[in-house]
Amino acid sequence: MTLSTTIRKLAIPVVGIALTLFAQQSPAQDQDWPKRPVNIIVGFSPGGTTDIIARMLGVELSKAWGQSVIVENRPGAGGNIAGALVAKAAPDGYTLFMGSTGPLSVNTSLYKRMPFDHLKDFTPISLVADVPNMLVVNPKFMPAATFKDFMGLLKANPGKYFYASTGSGTASHLATELLKHEAKVEATHVPYKGAVALNDLLAGDSVHFMFATIPSVVQHVRSGKLKALAVTSKKRSTGLPEIPTVAESGYPNFDASSWFGLVGPAAMPKAVSEKISADIARVMATPDMRAKFIEQGAEPVASTPAQFGDYMRSETAKWEKVVKLSGASAE
């Protein structure tokens, strides 16, 4: 089962999830939490996809809760610094982690020493979004109008072109390594710390292309500063249906999307995690929120805490194979 297939199965009952969890809560539980502002910790720089999604969700949850939702950026180590901070926080629901594919499934296969066990040290709350990565080039420095042109340039110039990633072992890195393996092409990796990779891609000083999450680059694609050649999901993006997939462009098994979800420290009260999950489901089911996410190139989803926990386990097994295939290591 592919990532996108699993996400679609989780996304179908969004409204039902909200209504079911809401019915399980008593009025007293609703009144008890939250009594004060809630912090959502993000493991990457401002302006990146994790940050964008956290802030979009935070605005709506703040309205629902009548409390401020503060998004705090703690970038570094592929999201591990932020994850460790939340894992050690009090399990009262006031410190949450907007995690993603990396810290919640991939990093355990990349780092010899992890500051947390992502399957034991967190309370899963809900999936929030499925975001395809998009292959973008700087058209001034890599003259590729189509994915076919792009592959032709790589095959004719082994190792000549440089690709940016948001860090070793991140989704942008692994997506490129997976393509290199399947297409038998070469390109040189230039890892950055988070979303700053885009700065050099836009300038064209050091790198020529990258796989980036759609929300982080869609404005530059629409302005013409970057050229979008393909997306990494099995199906085309709802928000950018004109961009073909890598799968339909000659590599049918290629699937390397990213996902984002909210977790808290282990041992959070069940009533609190279920309330947050239900509130996320209600927010993500509204036409306004769905439209905002789709405009950014993200597919809004939701899940129960149990579903999200199962999904994290299945994704951990999936990406372990990809990491071994790529030979990637963060140390």
Side-chain angles (χ1 to χ4, degrees):
M1 181 180 294
T2 66
L3 180 149
S4 54
T5 301
T6 305
I7 286 285
R8 287 196 299 275
K9 288 189 174 183
L10 288 172
I12 291 171
V14 168
V15 176
I17 289 170
L19 294 177
T20 299
L21 291 177
F22 181 74
Q24 295 173 353
Q25 298 165 19
S26 70
Q29 288 170 340
D30 284 341
Q31 293 171 5
D32 287 342
W33 189 97
K35 294 180 179 179
R36 53 187 172 85
V38 176
N39 293 311
I40 296 180
I41 310 300
V42 171
F44 298 94
S45 305
T49 299
T50 313
D51 179 71
I52 291 170
I53 288 173
R55 293 181 188 279
M56 289 173 63
L57 180 63
V59 168
E60 299 305 314
L61 290 180
S62 179
K63 295 176 184 177
W65 295 339
Q67 293 285 353
S68 297
V69 175
I70 302 166
V71 176
E72 181 180 351
N73 299 87
R74 290 295 188 93
N80 286 351
I81 291 175
L85 180 66
V86 175
K88 296 173 183 177
D92 53 14
Y94 290 99
T95 303
L96 306 174
F97 179 42
M98 180 56 76
S100 59
T101 314
L104 296 183
S105 65
V106 177
N107 288 2
T108 188
S109 298
L110 287 169
Y111 290 81
K112 294 179 180 179
R113 293 173 295 277
M114 284 288 289
F116 54 80
D117 184 322
H118 70 292
L119 297 178
K120 294 181 180 180
D121 295 340
F122 294 119
T123 296
I125 296 174
S126 179
L127 275 164
V128 176
D130 175 33
V131 182
N133 290 295
M134 185 160 63
L135 172 63
V136 290
V137 301
N138 187 319
K140 292 182 179 179
F141 300 94
M142 193 172 191
T146 65
F147 181 78
K148 183 178 179 179
D149 293 341
F150 170 78
M151 294 305 298
L153 288 171
L154 290 187
K155 290 179 179 179
N157 303 278
K160 173 183 175 181
Y161 290 102
F162 292 75
Y163 76 91
S165 81
T166 52
S168 295
T170 60
S172 57
H173 175 209
L174 294 180
T176 315
E177 290 299 313
L178 187 60
L179 180 64
K180 285 169 56 180
H181 175 81
E182 292 201 6
K184 303 297 186 293
V185 294
E186 291 297 329
T188 303
H189 182 209
V190 182
Y192 290 82
K193 291 184 178 181
V196 294
L198 269 179
N199 295 336
D200 274 7
L201 180 62
L202 288 166
D205 292 336
S206 307
V207 291
H208 304 91
F209 71 94
M210 74 179 293
F211 278 100
T213 49
I214 294 177
S216 66
V217 295
V218 65
Q219 61 179 324
H220 302 300
V221 170
R222 288 172 176 157
S223 71
K225 293 180 180 179
L226 297 177
K227 175 69 176 177
L229 302 180
V231 295
T232 60
S233 50
K234 282 288 188 177
K235 291 189 175 182
R236 295 192 181 198
S237 166
T238 303
L240 294 163
E242 70 276 13
I243 308 299
T245 67
V246 174
E248 71 183 79
S249 302
Y251 303 91
N253 296 321
F254 193 91
D255 184 12
S257 294
S258 298
W259 51 263
F260 301 82
L262 201 66
V263 300
M268 273 178 58
K270 185 177 180 180
V272 174
S273 62
E274 288 187 342
K275 172 178 171 52
I276 299 172
S277 178
D279 290 340
I280 290 173
R282 276 193 293 270
V283 165
M284 301 308 289
T286 63
D288 181 60
M289 195 63 163
R290 291 187 62 81
K292 288 179 180 178
F293 268 62
I294 289 171
E295 183 181 2
Q296 291 290 331
E299 303 290 340
V301 295
S303 68
T304 65
Q307 285 175 324
F308 189 24
D310 289 342
Y311 188 64
M312 285 168 58
R313 284 186 283 273
S314 68
E315 283 291 284
T316 299
K318 168 189 171 178
W319 285 106
E320 181 181 9
K321 296 177 183 178
V322 176
V323 170
K324 288 182 178 178
L325 180 68
S326 70
S329 174
E331 296 179 356

